[in-house]
Amino acid sequence: MATPKVSAGTAFVVESRVEGVPEVDTVRDGVASAVAPSRAATELGLKRQEFDLAVHLGAVRVRSGPDGRPKVHREEMDRLRARDGFPDELRALVRTVGTAEGARLLGISPVRFTRLARAGCLTPVAFYLNRYRAVVWVYLAREVEALAVRSPELLAGNSPPWMRDRLETGGDWRPRNWRSRRIERLLALTEDPWLRVAIVAQSLDPVQLAEVVDDPYERVHFARAGRAAESGRRGSVAGREAMARLMHADEPDEILWRRISLIAELDAARELRPAPRPGEVRWPEPVGAPAVPAAPARLSGPPGAQPPSGSGETSLAETSQSPVVPPAPAHGTSPGAPAGLLVRLRLGAARGLRLRRPRRRAAVPRTRPRRGGPDKGW
């Protein structure tokens, strides 16, 4: 199969990693006898996209190193090398074909192969974008060959009635089967409760997601967990957009099933580890600090002001010595009264007028006649 020029998001990775794909394994290990995925792919005699597919299918176990990046242990490399038929067996496991090559394997035309895939007889394992930004589906060669053994009646003669009904209504089961395969495999690769929620939540659009998970803090929490678990190479912008579009369920029965699955995963996550709630941020109280009065004075200052270094909650005696922004002058205050920038901003916002800097007034009146026009304002 020719290498695509434009990569996109996949069930594993065709040429690059995209956003939204969780990490393969969340186990942290500090063993030094581990190599990076690129080096592991070279030593195993695989291309990088073939190695990523092997990881996705569970043929190669990858763990997170101390720095959070995926690593392959030497024990895993030795296990793969010790298997019979290495490396041909491993390459055959991850071999993929497109429509033309898959049709040649089955001895049928590409049109009939496409009809079989659209009807759901074949499940794509990945996709990529061609030069015209069109989605091109990719299948496992061993699954294509297994179809000829399992259902030879589909390769010759007229199509069965159920298949004709699906195709006549314009149905295309390739995105749906790819979503199911991807979600099931990613769920099998992790046991983190909130990461499992993030995986299932990818199949719902924002409106459906807000209806199922009405708590915004929980949505932020599992979205953050999914982003923190991302690893690998990122794909192109067009690939990430296609990935997000294809991940959303579009049929009513599939949407209902994904909603039910998300509710089940969400209940399990809430029971094991509830999502954190934002609390009031309070400065640490120093030892021997005076008691805070019942009605403490309100401190004025710029937004996001931090407490003094080396001290806790500021006492009233210390606030009297700290600079305090004066209150905004009332309407009608003389223009010559001193006013800070923040005060002028507040006053201008309250009046709804355009702010201007006050003109400088000369301390001594001018004795010489002006030349030219009038003085310019600030």
Side-chain angles (χ1 to χ4, degrees):
M1 181 181 65
T3 304
K5 295 183 179 180
V6 182
S7 61
T10 62
F12 58 102
V13 175
V14 172
E15 282 191 346
S16 57
R17 180 63 183 266
V18 298
E19 298 180 348
V21 180
E23 189 178 274
V24 176
D25 199 328
T26 57
V27 178
R28 304 282 175 171
D29 200 337
V31 180
S33 60
V35 296
S38 58
R39 182 175 178 180
T42 303
E43 295 184 5
L44 294 177
L46 300 175
K47 299 178 181 179
R48 182 54 192 270
Q49 59 266 24
E50 294 175 344
F51 177 83
D52 293 333
L53 177 57
V55 172
H56 176 75
L57 297 177
V60 180
R61 292 191 292 264
V62 178
R63 295 179 180 269
S64 297
D67 56 353
R69 298 180 180 180
K71 300 290 183 180
V72 183
H73 290 184
R74 284 296 179 183
E75 292 79 3
E76 179 67 12
M77 304 282 291
D78 297 338
R79 182 187 69 85
L80 295 173
R81 291 194 184 98
R83 297 180 60 178
D84 296 337
F86 176 83
D88 296 335
E89 183 182 355
L90 185 59
R91 291 174 181 171
L93 181 66
V94 297
R95 180 191 173 195
T96 57
V97 295
T99 301
E101 190 174 355
R104 286 194 296 269
L105 289 177
L106 297 179
I108 59 178
S109 65
V111 176
R112 192 179 187 96
F113 184 90
T114 303
R115 288 171 59 88
L116 292 173
R118 289 175 61 91
C121 301
L122 292 169
T123 301
V125 72
F127 74 89
Y128 65 90
L129 301 183
N130 60 11
R131 68 178 69 179
Y132 306 107
R133 299 296 191 269
V135 176
V136 179
W137 296 104
V138 181
Y139 310 86
L140 288 175
R142 55 188 176 89
E143 293 184 356
V144 174
E145 296 173 347
L147 177 64
V149 179
R150 183 179 67 253
S151 303
E153 67 278 1
L154 298 176
L155 307 182
N158 297 328
S159 301
W162 63 267
M163 183 175 174
R164 290 197 302 267
D165 294 341
R166 286 186 178 181
L167 296 177
E168 289 175 359
T169 57
D172 189 354
W173 283 62
R174 291 175 294 181
R176 179 171 182 168
N177 290 345
W178 170 78
R179 279 192 298 268
S180 299
R181 180 177 205 156
R182 177 179 181 273
I183 292 175
E184 291 174 2
R185 188 56 200 164
L186 292 177
L187 289 177
L189 294 174
T190 182
E191 296 182 357
D192 185 87
W194 287 105
L195 186 54
R196 294 175 64 90
V197 173
I199 294 173
V200 180
Q202 294 178 7
S203 60
L204 298 177
D205 57 38
V207 177
Q208 297 283 345
L209 187 60
E211 293 178 357
V212 178
V213 189
D214 55 353
D215 191 344
Y217 300 122
E218 290 182 341
R219 294 198 299 269
V220 171
H221 181 59
F222 67 71
R224 185 180 302 163
R227 289 193 299 268
E230 294 174 5
S231 64
R233 299 167 295 173
R234 299 182 62 182
S236 61
V237 176
R240 294 195 296 269
E241 292 177 353
M243 178 76 169
R245 182 178 67 256
L246 293 173
M247 272 305 300
H248 290 166
D250 49 6
E251 295 294 335
D253 58 336
E254 185 185 4
I255 293 175
L256 178 60
W257 172 249
R258 296 305 175 192
R259 289 169 66 105
I260 295 175
S261 301
L262 180 58
I263 292 174
E265 295 291 345
L266 190 61
D267 291 341
R270 289 169 176 170
E271 183 178 357
L272 293 176
R273 190 175 68 245
R277 300 282 175 170
E280 296 181 358
V281 180
R282 297 183 178 180
W283 297 344
E285 185 174 1
V287 180
V292 180
R298 183 177 180 181
L299 303 180
S300 301
Q306 300 295 330
S309 59
S311 62
E313 190 171 57
T314 308
S315 62
L316 295 180
E318 294 172 346
T319 57
S320 61
Q321 300 175 359
S322 59
V324 179
V325 178
H331 184 68
T333 306
S334 60
L341 176 60
L342 184 59
V343 177
R344 294 201 304 273
L345 290 174
R346 291 176 178 174
L347 182 60
R351 294 179 178 179
L353 301 178
R354 187 175 180 181
L355 299 178
R356 295 182 180 178
R357 297 185 62 180
R359 297 181 179 179
R360 292 181 178 270
R361 295 183 177 274
V364 181
R366 297 177 180 269
T367 56
R368 292 181 298 177
R370 299 185 180 94
R371 295 182 179 179
D375 293 338
K376 297 180 180 181
W378 288 93

